[in-house]
Amino acid sequence: YEQVGDLGLKPGEFSVLWLILRNPGIRQGVLAQQLMIKPPHIAKLVRAFEDRVGRRDERRLLAVSIE
C-alpha cells in the first residue's frame, strides 16, 4: 500500500483493486463477499474507479477486470 498511497487510494480501494488484479473477470458479488463489503458499496467503488479513468461500461456488468 505504501507504494500506491501517492495515487490517492484509500486502503479499502487498494484492496478492491488488488483482488480484481489477482482475479480478472471476478464477479462483483464474489468481490463483495471476499472483502466482506455489501454489494451496493462494491458497485459504487467500481463506478468511482471507472470515473477516475474516464471509462464507463455497461452499468449492468457484473464481472470486473483491470486492463
Side-chain angles (χ1 to χ4, degrees):
Y1 172 74
E2 292 174 5
Q3 295 177 355
V4 295
D6 293 338
L7 298 176
L9 290 175
K10 298 174 185 171
E13 294 171 333
F14 175 79
S15 299
V16 171
L17 289 176
W18 180 254
L19 266 179
I20 293 170
L21 181 65
R22 304 296 292 169
N23 301 279
I26 190 170
R27 296 177 62 87
Q28 289 187 33
V30 174
L31 187 59
Q33 185 179 31
Q34 292 291 317
L35 293 170
M36 294 185 280
I37 297 173
K38 294 180 181 180
H41 189 65
I42 286 292
K44 182 178 175 183
L45 285 170
V46 169
R47 275 195 309 275
F49 291 143
E50 289 174 334
D51 289 343
R52 281 187 184 183
V53 297
R55 182 172 181 203
R56 184 63 66 97
D57 286 332
E58 172 64 41
R59 286 233 167 170
R60 293 171 293 191
L61 185 66
L62 298 176
V64 291
S65 60
I66 297 174
E67 298 176 357

